[in-house]
Amino acid sequence: MTADLASGLRFAAQPVVSVFVPGVPVRVPEFADGGVVPIEVQTYTLERDDPYARVTEYDLVFGELPPLLHRYLAHCLRVACAAGDTVVWLGFEGSFHFDHLLTEAVAPQVYGVCAPGGEPVVAPDLRTLRTPEWRLVVTSHGGWL
């Protein structure tokens, strides 16, 4: 496995960035930034039987990932956090489960987080996702849920 974060963002050979926002955002985040525009934004509402257990997932589909990937990922976190006024995160395909939101169990599958009033944090590479320091970053944001 390569250490490059971009290698983990290719699902079915097409790059996808998945942004998770608890609840239903007041407004749809504007994911376009400096000429970088996804070819498609697929929106999913993930919910349990409990009407308050809801997360909106935005899958940003690209032909090619942006050249300044980390900068763009930070932008996505920033605008999603502002739109939902809640903690948001970036996770790999298949990482979502209501029982493991921003927990140690899912930390290696979360590659970016942002809390209201805070700065986005994006993992520099895939190796970082397996470190105790990264687990702490992810779980510390779980207190916002």
Side-chain angles (χ1 to χ4, degrees):
M1 176 182 353
T2 68
D4 182 4
L5 184 59
S7 67
L9 298 178
R10 288 179 177 75
F11 178 72
Q14 189 162 28
V16 176
V17 172
S18 297
V19 183
F20 296 92
V21 182
V24 178
V26 176
R27 62 188 179 285
V28 175
E30 179 55 57
F31 293 111
D33 179 50
V36 176
V37 181
I39 28 181
E40 183 179 7
V41 176
Q42 301 168 348
T43 305
Y44 305 95
T45 301
L46 310 169
E47 55 191 347
R48 284 185 164 179
D49 293 334
D50 177 350
Y52 298 105
R54 182 176 291 168
V55 173
T56 302
E57 176 182 351
Y58 298 97
D59 281 354
L60 315 179
V61 180
F62 292 89
E64 292 182 26
L65 286 170
L68 300 174
L69 181 60
H70 284 80
R71 181 184 172 284
Y72 180 72
L73 295 176
H75 164 76
C76 291
L77 287 166
R78 195 174 288 109
V79 298
C81 192
D85 195 32
T86 184
V87 67
V88 299
W89 65 95
L90 305 171
F92 293 120
E93 184 67 31
S95 66
F96 183 85
H97 192 286
F98 275 106
D99 292 339
H100 301 289
L101 301 180
L102 301 179
T103 64
E104 280 196 37
V106 77
Q109 296 295 311
V110 172
Y111 56 93
V113 291
C114 187
E119 283 299 310
V121 181
V122 178
D125 53 44
L126 293 176
R127 287 186 198 112
T128 299
L129 303 180
R130 303 253 178 243
T131 66
E133 293 81 10
W134 185 253
R135 283 193 302 273
L136 183 59
V137 167
V138 172
T139 58
S140 69
H141 282 80
W144 287 90
L145 294 172

